[in-house]
Amino acid sequence: MNHSEADIALVEKYFDSELNDAELKNFTMRMESDENFKSLVEQEKVLIAAVRYEGAVSSLKYLEDLEVKLEKETPLRLSSAPTKWYYYAAAAVVGITVVVAVFMNNFRNQPDELFQAYFTPYPNMFEPTTRSSESTDSKRKDAFQAYEQGDYQKAATLFEDLLKDNKEAGIVLLLGNSNLILGNVEEAKANFIALDKDFDELDMQAKWYLSLCYLKSGETEKARAILKELGDTEISYATKARELLDKVK
Amino acid sequence: MNQDEIILKIKSGGQTELGLVYEEYREEFLRWVVKEFNCSLDDGKDIYQLTILIFHDNIRLGKLEHLVSSVKTYLFGIGKNIVKENQRKERRYIPLSKEKWLKENLIDEPTSKIDDAVFERAKNALSKLGQPCQRLIELFYYEKKSIPEITLAMSYKNPETAKNQKCKCMARLRKLFEEETEQNTFAINHESL
């Protein structure tokens, strides 16, 4: 469709925000009464939109390339996916390392003291308590919240209730931790043994905490056997397990 | 650098400045979004990239000139809106196609969606435009650079030359678009025979 040079200039000035009041009035009038002029305006709008779109796509590609570069230089290790719990476990182990470094100067290698130095409750990686969700069962939410707030007695009771309905590895792990903290060492051992045997996940965590249970109850040979097994692997617990094994007499 | 300086830098800069902001808040944003929405790191990265593009768009279009909060808070707010809006529409954290999302959220107006077929023809015409025209009109319409800024960036003799060149490029784009439309009409007629 042919358009006059004057119309094209008017439309360009409109999109470049250069119209004066009289021109704007003319523009508005033409839009209401002239279909040919209106189609020119619509076409210009689409063309400018395409230019903006290609600009945004180009910026997106730039950010995607930058992300690939950054990930290579400084990889981020974070995920809430259940299959990546071991990243958090690794972080917990690093935390334990720091605690150990401070404590090791001040005590002899008695099993219970080693337990105190190496034990850190496993963090709740299984149910974010801050996230609101309509489907979140209140008992479940209360259980994880109690655990996070350090109310291990309440947490243990609620975790046990939850396990009656649904066997979940994460809950067994946290129940074991709660029992261990509460001094219910035998119950904790049973939890970690069940976690190791009955589930396909969190085996290494189960073994690590079971070794700490044995330290707590003074069964050093059993603790050493598990620590040796962990130390022979390449998993995140291995270094810590080897270090602890050296200290358990 | 304070908040307003960051905004000015992005407004007067290009992709490099955008990249600096991306890098600055990346780790904090990704940690937050993964934890807050229980999403994967890859989804988190997609959300962050779209967040940065909206931040950029708001600055370029003059919607954001001063921040009452911090850049971080502003970015987290955008990220949250992207997730919520997308969960409402697609029951996912992030759209399947970021490109489609860009069209729907940065290009289409709330009251008037551009027809996909017409938009495709406009994109085809643009891809045939060639350089330096493509760059020139992108600087003007996407990055919202002024004619004097474009004169400097593209080494034109003076602003008048840059302005004339921009008009010529748009005229050429209109012609290419009309050709695309004609070809499309011909193809449709041919198919219906």
Side-chain angles (χ1 to χ4, degrees):
Chain A
M1 197 174 286
N2 288 326
H3 300 284
S4 72
E5 289 296 320
D7 279 357
I8 290 172
L10 184 63
V11 171
E12 276 196 346
K13 283 179 89 174
Y14 169 76
F15 281 103
D16 297 354
S17 308
E18 291 174 353
L19 293 181
N20 60 33
D21 288 349
E23 288 169 328
L24 188 60
K25 198 174 171 187
N26 179 26
F27 178 90
T28 312
M29 254 173 51
R30 297 284 305 281
M31 280 293 281
E32 286 166 2
S33 60
D34 186 339
E35 282 301 318
N36 189 24
F37 181 78
K38 196 176 168 184
S39 75
L40 175 64
V41 174
E42 289 301 321
Q43 176 188 288
E44 194 79 356
K45 193 169 137 186
V46 172
L47 292 176
I48 291 171
V51 174
R52 292 190 55 218
Y53 173 80
E54 290 301 336
V57 169
S58 161
S59 293
L60 176 64
K61 297 285 174 223
Y62 175 80
L63 295 178
E64 285 172 345
D65 290 345
L66 177 66
E67 177 54 50
V68 171
K69 182 174 159 270
L70 291 171
E71 188 59 45
K72 275 185 191 163
E73 289 171 1
T74 50
L76 282 177
R77 295 281 172 89
L78 41 100
S79 166
S80 60
T83 51
K84 294 185 180 173
W85 286 344
Y86 55 84
Y87 286 147
Y88 293 98
V93 172
V94 170
I96 291 167
T97 311
V98 174
V99 172
V100 169
V102 174
F103 276 74
M104 286 312 286
N105 290 331
N106 303 322
F107 73 91
R108 298 287 166 204
N109 295 339
Q110 295 302 313
D112 191 53
E113 288 169 335
L114 283 172
F115 167 82
Q116 295 296 342
Y118 278 80
F119 175 74
T120 302
Y122 196 84
N124 167 25
M125 297 304 166
F126 313 109
E127 187 88 1
T129 53
T130 50
R131 188 165 56 102
S132 64
S133 164
E134 284 170 19
S135 62
T136 304
D137 176 66
S138 66
K139 190 197 287 177
R140 187 180 172 85
K141 195 175 168 188
D142 286 350
F144 286 105
Q145 206 159 42
Y147 186 84
E148 282 187 4
Q149 289 170 353
D151 188 349
Y152 297 109
Q153 187 61 63
K154 182 179 175 186
T157 308
L158 292 171
F159 283 145
E160 274 170 6
D161 268 7
L162 287 169
L163 284 170
K164 283 174 194 163
D165 302 329
N166 188 21
K167 304 283 180 204
E168 264 185 58
I171 294 180
V172 178
L173 178 62
L174 298 190
L175 173 61
N177 270 264
S178 302
N179 275 325
L180 194 49
I181 293 165
L182 293 168
N184 306 327
V185 184
E186 292 310 312
E187 285 87 339
K189 279 181 199 168
N191 297 143
F192 296 128
I193 289 168
L195 179 59
D196 185 22
K197 287 188 175 167
D198 302 342
F199 296 87
D200 294 330
E201 52 190 322
L202 300 173
D203 289 1
M204 296 302 128
Q205 286 87 341
K207 286 188 168 80
W208 170 254
Y209 284 102
L210 183 58
S211 74
L212 294 178
C213 286
Y214 287 134
L215 275 183
K216 178 88 175 156
S217 59
E219 298 169 271
T220 50
E221 279 314 306
K222 285 183 177 175
R224 284 179 62 82
I226 297 173
L227 290 170
K228 185 166 184 330
E229 187 188 335
L230 287 173
D232 289 342
T233 65
E234 295 299 322
I235 57 149
S236 56
Y237 282 98
T239 313
K240 204 77 247 125
R242 284 194 286 268
E243 184 185 300
L244 184 53
L245 181 63
D246 278 347
K247 295 179 177 120
V248 181
K249 302 295 176 196
Chain B
M1 199 160 31
N2 68 35
Q3 314 293 322
D4 288 348
E5 281 172 342
I6 292 173
I7 291 173
L8 272 177
K9 209 166 174 61
I10 289 178
K11 198 167 190 169
S12 59
Q15 286 183 339
T16 311
E17 284 69 23
L18 199 62
L20 291 174
V21 173
Y22 184 91
E23 208 172 332
E24 174 78 22
Y25 298 98
R26 173 179 173 261
E27 187 170 341
E28 217 172 340
F29 186 97
L30 292 179
R31 286 190 190 286
W32 166 76
V33 80
V34 164
K35 185 167 184 274
E36 180 76 10
F37 299 105
N38 205 22
C39 65
S40 72
L41 185 56
D42 284 343
D43 273 355
K45 286 176 181 178
D46 286 346
I47 295 164
Y48 187 46
Q49 283 155 13
L50 295 178
T51 296
I52 291 287
L53 288 181
I54 291 187
F55 179 59
H56 188 206
D57 211 52
N58 287 350
I59 292 173
R60 280 187 299 100
L61 298 177
K63 291 181 193 168
L64 176 65
E65 290 179 339
H66 303 287
L67 274 173
V68 285
S69 59
S70 65
V71 171
K72 184 184 123 180
T73 307
Y74 191 78
L75 292 178
F76 282 26
I78 295 173
K80 196 171 184 175
N81 286 340
I82 291 175
V83 174
K84 298 275 179 201
E85 182 65 12
N86 217 64
Q87 276 179 330
R88 192 177 63 79
K89 282 186 189 167
E90 302 189 30
R91 296 181 178 276
R92 298 182 77 246
Y93 297 115
I94 198 73
L96 289 170
S97 162
K98 284 187 273 183
E99 282 80 2
K100 182 170 169 263
W101 188 94
L102 286 177
K103 178 181 177 287
E104 287 172 356
N105 291 275
L106 293 187
I107 308 299
D108 286 339
E109 290 167 11
T111 50
S112 64
K113 181 182 178 295
I114 298 172
D115 180 82
D116 285 343
V118 176
F119 194 61
E120 228 20 69
R121 292 205 295 276
K123 286 198 299 182
N124 286 343
L126 187 61
S127 69
K128 291 176 183 169
L129 186 61
Q131 299 297 354
C133 269
Q134 220 172 331
R135 179 67 188 141
L136 197 168
I137 58 173
E138 192 175 299
L139 281 173
F140 190 80
Y141 288 112
Y142 173 65
E143 294 190 21
K144 294 281 176 188
K145 301 292 183 201
S146 66
I147 289 294
E149 284 172 320
I150 292 174
T151 306
L152 273 177
M154 296 190 70
S155 306
Y156 286 113
K157 215 168 12 175
N158 52 49
E160 287 71 32
T161 312
K163 176 86 177 171
N164 281 339
Q165 194 57 40
K166 180 240 158 195
C167 291
K168 282 182 187 171
C169 290
M170 284 306 288
R172 183 166 156 67
L173 182 60
R174 275 180 219 115
K175 192 166 179 292
L176 286 166
F177 180 72
E178 279 162 19
E179 285 172 9
E180 283 288 323
T181 308
E182 278 167 23
Q183 273 176 22
N184 187 261
T185 313
F186 175 77
I188 292 169
N189 289 340
H190 190 73
E191 277 170 18
S192 64
L193 286 177

